[in-house]
Amino acid sequence: MDHSQEIVEREVEVGGVILAPGANTFDPTVSQTYLYGQHPNVVTSLEFERILSASGPYMGHLQRPSDGKEPERIAWIQCVGSRNINECDNGYCSGVCCMYAVKEAIVAKEHSPSIDALDTTIFFMDMRTYGKDFEKYYNRAQNEYGVKFVRSRVHTLFPVPETEQLRIDYATEDGGIISEVFDMVVLSVGIEIGKETVELAENLGVEVNHHRFAKTDPFAPVSTSRSGVYTCGVFQGPKDIPGSVTEASAAAACCAQNLGAARGTLVTSKEVPPEIDVAGEEPRIGVFVCNCGINIGSVVDVPAVAEYAKSLPYVVYTGENLFSCSQDTQEAMKELIKEHRLNRMVVAACSPRTHEPLFRETLVDCGINKYLFDMANIRDQDSWVHQSDPGEATEKAKDLVRMAVARAAFLRPLKESLLEINQRALVVGGGVAGLNAALSIARQGFGAVVVEKNKELGGLARKVQHTIEGLDVQAYLDNLVKEVGSHENIQVFTDAQVVGFGGYKGNFTTEIKTGENGDRQTIDHGATVVSTGAHDYKPTEYLYGEDQRVMTQLELGEKLAKDRAAASGWNQVVMIQCVGSRNEENPNCSRVCCQGAIKHALELKKLNEHLAVTVLYRDIRMYGFLEDYYQEAREKGVTFARYSLSDPPLVESNGDGLSVTFRDHVLNRPIQVAADALILSAATIPNNTEDLATLLKVPRDADGYFIEAHAKLRPVDFSSDGIYLCGTAHSPKLITESIGQALAAAARAGSFLAATDLTIGGVVAQVDGDKCAVCLTCVRTCSYGVPRIGEDGYAVIDEASCQGCGACVAECPGKAIMLQHFTDDQLVAKSESLFAS
């Protein structure tokens, strides 16, 4: 009997279920004209990812499958298995294909001998780069890498006789036909839900929508049709990695709300071996050099670096890893640490920002103090910036490893202590995101304080009447405000402003000013959620503010809610997209504008089916299930005409109405339309948070949005511990997306608050009182306001508040301050080794 095939049934009692079964990629053999499975040089985007990977079939070397030749021309065809109701009934947009095609085109160029050595062309219908900074990446692909973008729907691929190449015949926008030959064609396949996932949903009593994804409510985006069962990731709907990570935390928050009373009752603590005392031992350093897939290994000669490390003082073991951060490699490293009795470790790999905690944990699991570790960043500081010169990159990697080893010999074990956490969170901003974050935190059993600068809660959503699905936003908001106001764990301050912020993670102190009199109050809390929201751009173009017939989408929504009769008498309405966005001043896409225009276009057509609605656009970005509404709008007669940034519409006013002139991309001639109303899809602009960002010491980007700790791995965290981010303070997004991100921030805050205590110490500054001259230099220098003059007459630095930045150490004229883990002898050893031969 084959026991490997034996199925063991177990019954497990749980208080909540999260469905994250993922999705499949579309099988392009259905589209026979694309020759997938018939021609070896036609591959899917996922297969092309494997070709580029160091662990792939060609070890990261870019070559075409048929003969191993390095391709000179590669084409990508978008929307294969997406936005297609003829061959596969996948009418939705998969949401991720445009960005991964742009990424693959860039990475493919980086794999070539030079960027110009490889010609890359992406054939597309609409370029849907709608996420945070996605438009900038799209522009960079064109301007810096020379990736070509051709707006055309490719129907058929033709093999070129007696070659391994493929020919693409495509129609241009002016009606011409062009033929081009490529060495490879990549099919950007969409995502779809597999039969087995649908069966799983049926077995669990969870409804799916007509696209076979989990059926959810826009106001409860991770809740399924069955109470206590939640979903996240692609099964909830097409999305990218940041969206999946965010929703995973959101689903965890929903479970935490239900299970708060049982928190910790079934937890088993991880057993850690007692720490080995290495005091007095000679350093025994192990060096692990990572290929990081192709990120390092395709540029740096990793074997040569590992061999060089053997010659360095105190190094008793060196090794190479394909991926040092993988679970199996971690286990192997633990065995090597024990086998070679290592008491120091150096990993030459990627960024300490993301992976240092992992490697430190590896040491702890072996009974070694986690501070006996150093990391040489040979990816960010080497292979990524020296791709064109592998020889010099290898030499620099040796330098970085030599420096890390030199410092490691002087590392000392450091001790940490525990500090109690204040189990209350401050939520700055009382819009949809802030209110949902506060309510979720409160439902998890923690206190929450909401601080809203306006007199009314609700934020920008107060101007939104309904969602594109038809849900009443104002009724939802009123109920949400009522729930927040009546919850025993929540305190709300309106007409309030944060004017002071201090303390440290787990024990923050915030001062707020409320009311016209400016009364001040102090709030103690352990975590902070920033949800300061955004506002709509007030156009300076297209006669806005000069003619009352010109209005924004939000203003149209309010007009339709108050005076539908006036709009029902209109004969022609024109909408202009990307007003105030995707331009030099605001290069990013505002994400919500296309759905706002189509939502109102459908509403106008429902009001008067004979009303002519024309939408002037640059790209229609109806991602995910929003594509259904785009299709419905076309079916109901809404006209869509594209314009370019260099040739925007011309708007003129006369006594009879408005005149809008634009160049039709199909007819290639100017078209003039007389309009009763002109609706501008205005950009979303972040609220002014400069003062708040300064107080909290958290970063913002050039556009004024807050910057998360890591775009993919930590999308709702700040780099400062205990402070979280959600809603349109992060980037433009729909209400349902703001709710999901708010729940994610609440999960992160709740997870932190649930710990009850935290470790402090380690990399902190310490003052030698005998050397301190009380010159106040450290007090003036510290950006975090930590140093103070103590009762004993010298500077005191609270280890719980210290951020370990070292600014006070560098500025102290008397050399009275030392930063642990970055001591003078460690830094001198590292510096001297840089110049050693």
Side-chain angles (χ1 to χ4, degrees):
M1 181 177 179
D2 184 3
H3 291 284
S4 65
Q5 300 298 315
E6 205 173 323
I7 298 176
V8 179
E9 293 187 3
R10 292 183 60 192
E11 188 173 293
V12 181
E13 291 187 4
V14 296
V17 175
I18 297 177
L19 297 180
N24 302 328
T25 55
F26 173 72
D27 180 2
T29 54
V30 175
S31 305
Q32 296 184 6
T33 58
Y34 286 157
L35 303 182
Y36 180 76
Q38 303 172 49
H39 196 293
N41 294 329
V42 179
V43 299
T44 67
S45 47
L46 195 59
E47 290 166 344
F48 192 72
E49 289 276 352
R50 296 302 302 148
I51 289 174
L52 294 175
S53 174
S55 61
Y58 312 130
M59 303 302 290
H61 181 250
L62 179 56
Q63 63 185 62
R64 64 183 184 184
S66 65
D67 56 6
K69 177 186 175 183
E70 292 183 359
E72 296 178 7
R73 303 196 75 207
I74 304 176
W76 279 258
I77 298 178
Q78 298 306 104
C79 301
V80 178
S82 299
R83 304 181 68 184
N84 189 335
I85 59 175
N86 297 317
E87 294 177 315
C88 58
D89 196 28
N90 290 348
Y92 54 87
C93 167
S94 289
V96 299
C97 315
C98 286
M99 276 303 292
Y100 74 55
V102 176
K103 179 203 72 173
E104 287 181 351
I106 288 177
V107 174
K109 279 179 167 285
E110 291 175 342
H111 274 61
S112 300
S114 68
I115 288 176
D116 296 330
L118 178 65
D119 182 277
T120 57
T121 303
I122 298 176
F123 293 92
F124 70 101
M125 293 192 291
D126 294 286
M127 188 49 56
R128 292 183 169 174
T129 48
Y130 54 85
K132 186 175 185 178
D133 288 335
F134 286 7
E135 186 77 6
K136 292 179 180 178
Y137 192 72
Y138 172 38
N139 293 336
R140 183 182 169 207
Q142 298 174 85
N143 301 330
E144 296 182 26
Y145 286 87
V147 178
K148 299 175 185 176
F149 292 85
V150 176
R151 194 185 297 270
S152 185
R153 180 69 163 169
V154 174
H155 181 271
T156 304
L157 301 181
F158 300 95
V160 178
E162 300 181 4
T163 74
E164 303 293 332
Q165 296 174 309
L166 297 124
R167 190 183 86 241
I168 294 178
D169 298 342
Y170 62 92
T172 61
E173 294 192 275
D174 60 6
I177 299 294
I178 293 180
S179 293
E180 291 194 55
V181 175
F182 295 91
D183 298 306
M184 287 183 68
V185 174
V186 182
L187 305 180
S188 294
V189 291
I191 52 180
E192 60 184 9
I193 299 301
K195 180 181 177 182
E196 67 284 355
T197 300
V198 175
E199 291 175 351
L200 172 65
E202 290 175 354
N203 292 336
L204 292 175
V206 170
E207 294 181 36
V208 296
N209 63 20
H210 64 288
H211 292 305
R212 301 176 298 280
F213 292 79
K215 186 177 182 180
T216 59
D217 187 298
F219 293 148
V222 296
S223 298
T224 69
S225 58
R226 183 171 182 179
S227 178
V229 180
Y230 306 96
T231 186
C232 61
V234 181
F235 185 45
Q236 193 272 350
K239 61 181 58 65
D240 58 7
I241 291 173
S244 294
V245 173
T246 297
E247 276 187 0
S249 291
C254 292
C255 285
Q257 293 171 190
N258 298 335
L259 306 177
R263 182 183 294 112
T265 57
L266 298 177
V267 172
T268 56
S269 300
K270 176 182 177 180
E271 290 190 13
V272 177
E275 185 174 305
I276 300 171
D277 184 5
V278 299
E281 289 186 7
E282 182 177 89
R284 295 180 60 82
I285 302 172
V287 178
F288 299 88
V289 187
C290 184
N291 282 272
C292 196
I294 60 170
N295 281 299
I296 296 172
S298 64
V299 179
V300 173
D301 186 346
V302 170
V305 175
E307 184 64 28
Y308 171 75
K310 292 180 180 179
S311 65
L312 298 175
Y314 302 115
V315 172
V316 298
Y317 173 81
T318 63
E320 301 174 43
N321 298 325
L322 182 59
F323 291 104
S324 296
C325 56
S326 66
Q327 185 62 41
D328 56 338
T329 304
Q330 288 291 298
E331 294 304 318
M333 289 170 68
K334 291 176 187 177
E335 294 304 316
L336 290 167
I337 291 170
K338 296 173 184 176
E339 178 184 345
H340 295 277
R341 296 183 295 109
L342 304 180
N343 57 23
R344 307 282 194 287
M345 183 169 73
V346 170
V347 174
C350 53
S351 171
R353 185 180 65 164
T354 55
H355 287 80
E356 186 177 63
L358 174 66
F359 297 124
R360 283 181 168 180
E361 185 179 352
T362 302
L363 278 181
V364 171
D365 289 342
C366 296
I368 308 296
N369 187 280
K370 71 179 186 180
Y371 290 102
L372 298 175
F373 169 79
D374 201 6
M375 198 164 180
N377 188 348
I378 61 172
R379 185 191 68 176
D380 303 38
Q381 298 175 359
D382 190 10
S383 65
W384 275 4
V385 292
H386 301 297
Q387 292 175 358
S388 60
D389 196 343
E392 287 300 313
T394 299
E395 292 306 308
K396 183 176 180 180
K398 293 178 182 179
D399 292 341
L400 291 170
V401 169
R402 184 175 67 251
M403 293 165 68
V405 168
R407 176 172 178 258
F410 288 87
L411 294 176
R412 302 174 184 84
L414 300 179
K415 299 299 181 183
E416 297 176 330
S417 55
L418 295 177
L419 188 70
E420 186 177 352
I421 293 175
N422 182 328
Q423 293 186 305
R424 182 164 68 159
L426 174 74
V427 179
V428 184
V432 166
L435 294 176
N436 273 283
L439 191 58
S440 178
I441 290 168
R443 287 172 174 170
Q444 292 177 54
F446 307 111
V449 180
V450 178
V451 176
E452 167 57 41
K453 66 178 182 180
N454 295 316
K455 294 182 179 180
E456 181 184 37
L457 296 171
L460 185 59
R462 282 294 179 193
K463 296 183 177 182
V464 181
Q465 304 307 310
H466 59 85
T467 68
I468 197 168
E469 298 86 0
L471 300 182
D472 189 332
V473 174
Q474 296 310 305
Y476 166 77
L477 260 183
D478 290 342
N479 184 64
L480 179 62
V481 170
K482 183 178 179 181
E483 281 191 86
V484 167
S486 62
H487 201 289
E488 61 182 1
N489 290 345
I490 301 177
Q491 187 177 9
V492 177
F493 292 94
T494 55
D495 194 15
Q497 183 179 351
V498 174
V499 293
F501 185 83
Y504 43 87
K505 59 180 181 180
N507 286 272
F508 294 112
T509 299
T510 297
E511 185 179 10
I512 63 171
K513 182 173 65 175
T514 61
E516 295 179 357
N517 297 327
D519 297 332
R520 295 183 178 244
Q521 286 187 253
T522 298
I523 302 168
D524 295 325
H525 54 100
T528 306
V529 177
V530 177
S531 54
T532 47
H535 61 276
D536 55 322
Y537 166 70
K538 295 303 178 184
T540 58
E541 52 268 73
Y542 301 124
L543 302 183
Y544 181 83
E546 300 176 32
D547 191 309
Q548 63 180 3
R549 293 166 295 189
V550 181
M551 64 195 81
T552 65
Q553 292 289 352
L554 288 178
E555 291 165 349
L556 172 62
E558 292 179 310
K559 183 177 183 65
L560 291 174
K562 296 175 183 178
D563 187 12
R564 297 178 71 84
S568 64
W570 291 339
N571 295 312
Q572 174 80 47
V573 171
V574 175
M575 299 180 178
I576 301 179
Q577 301 303 103
C578 300
V579 178
S581 59
R582 298 185 68 191
N583 55 28
E584 188 173 343
E585 293 76 23
N586 180 18
N588 273 312
C589 168
S590 287
R591 189 174 182 129
V592 302
C593 313
C594 287
Q595 69 84 36
I598 290 176
K599 174 181 71 175
H600 287 139
L602 288 171
E603 188 174 359
L604 288 170
K605 294 294 282 186
K606 186 176 181 180
L607 191 63
N608 177 4
E609 62 179 339
H610 301 295
L611 172 62
V613 180
T614 301
V615 179
L616 305 181
Y617 72 98
R618 292 173 59 195
D619 290 280
I620 292 294
R621 293 180 169 175
M622 297 293 279
Y623 56 93
F625 305 139
L626 295 176
E627 181 72 15
D628 292 344
Y629 299 98
Y630 180 29
Q631 181 179 336
E632 181 185 352
R634 298 198 305 273
E635 291 172 350
K636 291 190 174 179
V638 177
T639 301
F640 292 86
R642 190 169 58 255
Y643 75 93
S644 66
L645 180 63
S646 60
D647 187 15
L650 173 65
V651 178
E652 298 173 302
S653 176
N654 55 56
D656 296 327
L658 295 164
S659 172
V660 181
T661 304
F662 59 93
R663 177 169 291 277
D664 185 88
H665 66 279
V666 176
L667 300 176
N668 195 27
R669 57 171 291 181
I671 301 293
Q672 189 175 72
V673 176
D676 298 299
L678 176 64
I679 316 302
L680 306 181
S681 294
T684 300
I685 306 296
N687 288 330
N688 185 355
T689 54
E690 183 176 358
D691 291 342
L692 179 68
T694 301
L695 286 172
L696 271 59
K697 298 176 178 63
V698 291
R700 300 185 307 158
D701 62 21
D703 302 314
Y705 292 103
F706 286 103
I707 302 175
E708 62 274 40
H710 192 285
K712 287 181 169 59
L713 305 180
R714 299 176 65 194
V716 298
D717 292 57
F718 280 105
S719 53
S720 299
D721 292 338
I723 308 180
Y724 308 95
L725 171 65
C726 63
T728 50
H730 167 272
S731 64
K733 52 182 59 69
L734 298 170
I735 289 176
T736 185
E737 294 165 338
S738 286
I739 294 171
Q741 200 175 46
L743 292 172
R748 299 291 294 148
S751 176
F752 175 72
L753 296 175
T756 68
D757 52 41
L758 58 89
T759 56
I760 60 172
V763 185
V764 294
Q766 291 185 336
V767 179
D768 183 343
D770 294 334
K771 295 181 179 180
C772 179
V774 199
C775 64
L776 302 181
T777 299
C778 58
V779 176
R780 291 189 295 268
T781 300
C782 181
S783 300
Y784 302 92
V786 176
R788 58 182 177 84
I789 305 304
E791 296 178 356
D792 296 329
Y794 58 84
V796 175
I797 296 177
D798 181 18
E799 64 178 10
S801 303
C802 180
Q803 301 295 307
C805 67
C808 59
V809 180
E811 292 295 327
C812 179
K815 304 298 180 186
I817 309 176
M818 175 192 71
L819 182 62
Q820 294 191 102
H821 201 55
F822 293 93
T823 57
D824 287 352
D825 56 353
Q826 294 166 7
L827 297 181
V828 167
K830 190 169 188 174
S831 301
E832 289 180 344
S833 70
L834 172 62
F835 302 104
S837 57

